[in-house]
Amino acid sequence: MGKTAMAARESYGAMAKILHWLLIPLLAAQYAVGSIMPHIGRGTQNEGWVNWHLSIGAAILFVILLRLIWRLLFPVALPPGMTRWESMLAHATHLILYALVLIMTLLGWAAANARGWDVKLFGAVTLPALAPNGSSWGHEAGDIHNILVYVLLGFIVLHVAGALYHHFILRDRVLQRMLSDRAS
């Protein structure tokens, strides 16, 4: 690995910011579509809102994988002056956010495959099946996916609350590092 991968940088670069902020409208759209699409039952077809949900989910998986790879290649150090508990909470929250988004997209993908539906990236690239059509574990993956929706939302709230805490209470530059280059 190169120098950048070995030593954590002090601020986020343009690519990290783009990938981070791209996830926000994707996740917001996914929550909106997920809440208005019909309940998925025996006769539900992969069309309309259901198809949108699968398409957005595939895009989220693509972006979160890019974001995770970028973060591993170009790590950013936590700002100096953070207490031990703040550092531990920040690391844990980021790790859990990545894990939840990855796990949820994979579970949704498997659940779709268990219904016999293809999942396509950008509507063009058919992803390989993770679960066989009719598999019980694929159905259970969908049930777990539905529960994790609320867990992910809780961690998103925690992440946003932490950023706002740093910005408005501590008045440090933590939030600014993801907002603008002049804060770097």
Side-chain angles (χ1 to χ4, degrees), residues 23-159:
L23 279 170
I24 293 170
L26 284 171
L27 288 168
Q30 189 68 318
Y31 270 95
V33 169
S35 68
I36 60 176
M37 72 182 206
H39 172 75
I40 296 178
R42 286 195 193 275
T44 307
Q45 299 296 309
N46 179 13
E47 56 191 27
W49 292 116
V50 174
N51 188 46
W52 273 104
H53 189 70
L54 296 178
S55 296
I56 295 168
I60 289 170
L61 178 60
F62 180 75
V63 173
I64 197 71
L65 285 172
L66 287 178
R67 176 76 177 100
L68 183 57
I69 290 166
W70 195 263
R71 185 175 178 131
L72 291 172
L73 291 175
F74 303 100
V76 175
L78 290 173
M82 289 181 75
T83 64
R84 181 169 165 79
W85 75 266
E86 287 174 322
S87 296
M88 289 174 56
L89 185 59
H91 280 299
T93 302
H94 285 117
L95 179 66
I96 292 168
L97 280 169
Y98 281 115
L100 281 170
V101 173
L102 279 171
I103 290 166
M104 284 189 64
T105 55
L106 294 172
L107 290 172
W109 178 1
N113 294 154
R115 296 199 155 281
W117 301 339
D118 288 332
V119 176
K120 294 184 179 185
L121 180 61
F122 307 124
V125 179
T126 302
L127 302 178
L130 293 182
N133 187 358
S135 71
S136 61
W137 84 264
H139 178 73
E140 289 177 27
D143 292 342
I144 296 167
H145 174 86
N146 292 337
I147 293 167
L148 290 180
V149 163
Y150 301 103
V151 177
L152 176 59
L153 189 57
F155 275 94
I156 289 170
V157 168
L158 180 62
H159 181 64

Side-chain angles (χ1 to χ4, degrees), residues 4-25:
T4 35
M6 292 168 45
R9 299 163 11 151
E10 292 182 20
S11 65
Y12 294 96
M15 181 58 73
K17 291 175 187 178
I18 289 167
L19 294 171
H20 176 270
W21 292 106
L22 182 57
L23 279 170
I24 293 170

Side-chain angles (χ1 to χ4, degrees), residues 41 52 56 77 94 110 132 134 146 164 169 173 176 178:
W52 273 104
I56 295 168
H94 285 117
N146 292 337
L164 295 175
I169 306 297
R173 309 291 287 168
Q176 289 297 326
M178 190 52 83

